[in-house]
Amino acid sequence: MCFELARKWRNTCLENHRESCPRTINSILPTRVIDVGPVDGSCEPRLYIPKLEKGDWVALSHCWGRRPRFMTDSHNISDRKFMICFEDMPQTFQDAIIVTRKLGYRYLWIDSLCIVQDDHGDWIAESIRMGDYYRQAVLTISADSAPEDNVGFLHEDRVDYPSTVVKLTSNHEIGIRKRYPCADFWNRDTWVSKRAWTLQEFVLAPRSLHYTSEQIIWECQTRKYCESSDNSQGDTDAAQFQCMKRFFAKPKVGKELFPDLQQLFDPSYRWYSLVSDYFIRDLTFRKDILPAISGIAREIQRQTSQTYAAGIWLEGIEVGLLWQVDGAKKKSETYSGPSWSWISVETVPEVLGPENPLYRAIQFLEPEVKEHRARLISHDIILNDNDPFGSVSFGSLLLHGRCLLASQWKGRSPPHVSTYEELMTSHYFKEEIQKPESLDQLIYYFDLPEEDIMLEKSLTDMIIFQISSWKWPPSEHTLVVTLALLLLPVKEKPTGTYQRVGIAEVPNTDGLEREGWGAKDVCII
């Protein structure tokens, strides 16, 4: 079970990573914690309610599963405070208690036991604090190999890789085996990294101890270690792009250590990179799409003081409004968010991924926006629970910028509709991207499938609203492309009210991005 190795990794981090891995000494304990009792298990665990006491605690990141769940509610909370029978707990909780005891800690925070699940007020209050519980925990245990709580992670048979014994001429023998994979904990590569709520539990935690199906892995905000190797993992420049939590709490340290990767550690860039991964994770209840990432949003705001609105940062609308799903949006009869935000979209994980991220512009284009083409005049957000990072029931943006009726585009080639079902078409060329028919071809990336938008009918009223222009540098002649929103008027609303139906790539060729365009205020809901 490698408890000695886990203690070694923990001690190394606490003693040597003080500049980059935050350690809050004697934090105030969460509202409720599990008192795991002494290491010998002579006392049963219990739900403990501290009175502003300070101390260390361990947090658990896990997959609940679909079976009947072991939770705290208003009916059993009194019994839980007296005792929680160890043998009655699901295996994952038992294993987490064993690890907590073996590492020398008394308190463990588990969301399903430490939040009163049938009390909406308590759920809202604790979901707001949840990010801090992981951020201030001395360690987070991640049950990556367990698809549900009844499975556990300590006693599961590991994936076995065959080995070969080679006999040397000196009569010595050496064993050779395939190297065990060291999970990245993104792009759904473990059970836990498939779940939406666990992204913030991983990123915010200064130190994570992962139990995968092959080995245990340590990842703090400075280093990553695997049981199968004594060497630190992911220390190269290239590896930083897959280290989602690296220097998250201390981006300045990352910029100093990797001066050529300044953008990577910028909080705003980090947010949209994380959202691309978050977007393809599983969420049981769509209403949780903002609460489940609210801890990361709070930390980004701490670092930047920017204004948050339904999943985007208003000081950076030139990036935040430019997500794309290429026709993969599912039609929904219920309101899930304003059309200008990615939270309004429900899709399937297989459609998007590292090669087809939600925020493609920040991956493929120059970090610096060449020109801001839209200006935010005002915004209006109606919150469901008075939490600025929580769920919303309405959102609008009033923008000023250049717009054009789509039917008035003057390019020689007809507009091309690019979808996830085919090779992506774009003016910013890469090997895996299809070139447009001509340099002046307009390219549409609709949110819904083309047949659901009724393209021919929509073109009559659809407008193209410019957001920002970007440089594409690898070619001999720098290419400039303007990215714009595709908007349809909302008929039952006042004139000038629109909903987003996609984005467009407008080539800056022959003055087509300027001629015929008029300045206009638009309200997008």
Side-chain angles (χ1 to χ4, degrees):
M1 297 180 188
C2 301
F3 295 122
E4 184 177 345
L5 183 58
R7 284 190 286 266
K8 173 188 171 183
W9 288 336
R10 176 205 57 192
N11 294 340
T12 297
C13 178
L14 293 177
E15 294 168 8
N16 301 332
H17 302 166
R18 297 178 182 178
E19 294 299 317
S20 50
C21 293
R23 171 74 194 279
T24 307
I25 306 296
N26 286 327
S27 300
I28 295 177
L29 291 170
T31 305
R32 304 175 194 91
V33 289
I34 305 301
D35 181 348
V36 301
V39 68
D40 62 2
S42 57
C43 294
E44 292 280 16
R46 66 188 179 103
L47 186 65
Y48 178 59
I49 303 178
K51 303 296 183 183
L52 297 179
E53 296 172 40
K54 296 181 178 180
D56 289 332
W57 69 89
V58 173
L60 175 66
S61 183
H62 64 114
C63 293
W64 288 37
R66 301 283 182 179
R67 299 185 190 184
R69 295 160 177 170
F70 195 81
M71 303 181 299
T72 294
D73 57 33
S74 57
H75 302 290
N76 62 25
I77 186 170
S78 295
D79 293 337
R80 296 258 193 264
K81 287 189 283 187
F82 175 71
M83 182 187 72
I84 307 175
C85 181
F86 182 82
E87 294 300 326
D88 290 344
M89 288 183 168
Q91 192 62 53
T92 291
F93 293 3
Q94 292 184 25
D95 291 349
I97 287 173
I98 291 171
V99 174
T100 301
R101 289 171 174 171
K102 290 290 187 181
L103 295 180
Y105 297 106
R106 183 86 186 205
Y107 300 120
L108 171 65
W109 193 85
I110 302 177
D111 52 1
S112 51
L113 291 182
C114 296
I115 299 174
V116 184
Q117 296 296 322
D118 61 351
D119 184 332
H120 181 70
D122 188 68
W123 190 92
I124 292 298
E126 290 301 286
S127 68
I128 291 173
R129 302 184 184 111
M130 193 181 299
D132 286 337
Y133 292 163
Y134 285 95
R135 188 170 60 87
Q136 296 176 0
V138 66
L139 174 72
T140 292
I141 300 166
S142 187
D144 286 272
S145 62
E148 57 183 37
D149 288 331
N150 290 312
V151 173
F153 56 87
L154 286 182
H155 305 284
E156 184 186 19
D157 291 336
R158 295 187 175 189
V159 175
D160 188 28
Y161 288 86
S163 59
T164 301
V165 176
V166 177
K167 193 168 185 178
L168 305 178
T169 54
S170 60
N171 288 327
H172 290 90
E173 293 182 345
I174 59 173
I176 301 174
R177 63 162 172 79
K178 182 181 178 181
R179 182 179 178 182
Y180 286 97
C182 195
D184 293 315
F185 310 111
W186 71 300
N187 195 30
R188 303 170 63 88
D189 65 351
T190 69
W191 283 109
V192 165
S193 64
K194 293 178 181 180
R195 184 174 171 236
W197 280 94
T198 59
L199 177 65
Q200 65 178 9
E201 297 168 9
F202 170 59
V203 172
L204 294 174
R207 288 159 286 277
S208 297
L209 180 62
H210 299 270
Y211 285 84
T212 73
S213 57
E214 292 90 7
Q215 60 181 325
I216 63 170
I217 298 172
W218 171 274
E219 186 160 3
C220 60
Q221 297 206 358
T222 307
R223 288 282 184 268
K224 181 177 182 179
Y225 296 103
C226 298
E227 180 186 351
S228 59
S229 174
D230 291 333
N231 299 320
S232 175
Q233 308 291 313
D235 294 330
T236 65
D237 281 16
Q240 302 311 306
F241 288 91
Q242 295 182 357
C243 296
M244 293 194 300
K245 72 185 292 171
R246 192 67 55 87
F247 309 113
F248 177 77
K250 302 283 186 179
K252 184 179 178 181
V253 176
K255 291 180 179 181
E256 291 172 353
L257 292 176
F258 298 91
D260 295 333
L261 301 176
Q262 296 285 307
Q263 177 200 14
L264 186 62
F265 300 105
D266 178 76
S268 298
Y269 177 92
R270 181 71 67 95
W271 168 260
Y272 293 116
S273 297
L274 290 172
V275 163
S276 289
D277 182 79
Y278 176 76
F279 188 74
I280 63 172
R281 294 181 176 224
D282 300 330
L283 196 63
T284 304
F285 304 107
R286 285 291 299 172
K287 64 181 177 61
D288 292 344
I289 191 166
L290 286 175
I293 200 173
S294 62
I296 295 178
R298 290 177 211 280
E299 180 59 28
I300 295 290
Q301 190 187 61
R302 278 202 241 339
Q303 296 177 14
T304 65
S305 300
Q306 292 187 8
T307 309
Y308 186 71
I312 72 168
W313 300 94
L314 296 183
E315 288 79 359
I317 60 169
E318 69 280 356
V319 173
L321 295 176
L322 297 178
W323 50 271
Q324 61 187 95
V325 292
D326 300 352
K329 179 179 179 179
K330 293 181 182 178
K331 233 176 178 181
S332 176
E333 301 301 324
T334 59
Y335 181 84
S336 55
S339 68
W340 43 263
S341 173
W342 53 270
I343 70 167
S344 65
V345 175
E346 184 177 3
T347 183
V348 291
E350 291 75 16
V351 172
L352 301 176
E355 300 303 321
N356 198 26
L358 182 68
Y359 277 96
R360 217 155 302 158
I362 65 171
Q363 177 171 326
F364 292 161
L365 300 177
E366 275 277 87
E368 297 299 324
V369 176
K370 184 176 184 294
E371 184 182 353
H372 295 212
R373 297 284 177 87
R375 175 172 57 87
L376 177 67
I377 299 173
S378 64
H379 73 285
D380 182 27
I381 301 290
I382 299 178
L383 305 170
N384 283 327
D385 296 296
N386 296 319
D387 176 13
F389 302 95
S391 61
V392 303
S393 59
F394 175 80
S396 68
L397 297 179
L398 182 61
L399 302 174
H400 178 81
R402 303 180 195 173
C403 67
L404 177 75
L405 272 173
S407 58
Q408 295 180 358
W409 175 253
K410 302 299 184 183
R412 292 185 298 273
S413 301
H416 175 80
V417 178
S418 184
T419 74
Y420 73 93
E421 297 176 316
E422 61 183 32
L423 189 63
M424 178 184 173
T425 301
S426 174
H427 284 280
Y428 41 95
F429 309 136
K430 291 183 69 176
E431 288 182 4
E432 65 273 19
I433 292 178
Q434 182 172 291
K435 296 180 181 181
E437 292 180 10
S438 61
L439 291 177
D440 65 354
Q441 187 172 35
L442 184 66
I443 301 173
Y444 294 146
Y445 307 95
F446 286 107
D447 298 336
L448 286 164
E450 187 177 337
E451 58 270 19
D452 289 337
I453 297 179
M454 296 182 296
L455 183 60
E456 291 183 5
K457 180 180 178 181
S458 298
L459 277 176
T460 305
D461 300 318
M462 187 172 72
I463 68 170
I464 308 168
F465 186 84
Q466 296 186 14
I467 298 298
S468 51
S469 61
W470 300 69
K471 291 188 295 183
W472 175 239
S475 57
E476 293 181 7
H477 305 288
T478 299
L479 178 71
V480 177
V481 172
T482 295
L483 297 180
L485 298 183
L486 297 174
L487 305 175
L488 278 178
V490 182
K491 294 181 180 178
E492 64 271 19
K493 297 292 183 180
T495 302
T497 305
Y498 295 84
Q499 65 175 347
R500 171 191 154 134
V501 293
I503 69 171
E505 200 176 286
V506 181
N508 289 26
T509 304
D510 300 329
L512 289 173
E513 81 285 0
R514 296 187 305 273
E515 294 177 8
W517 296 73
K520 184 176 181 178
D521 292 349
V522 298
C523 177
I524 312 174
I525 61 174

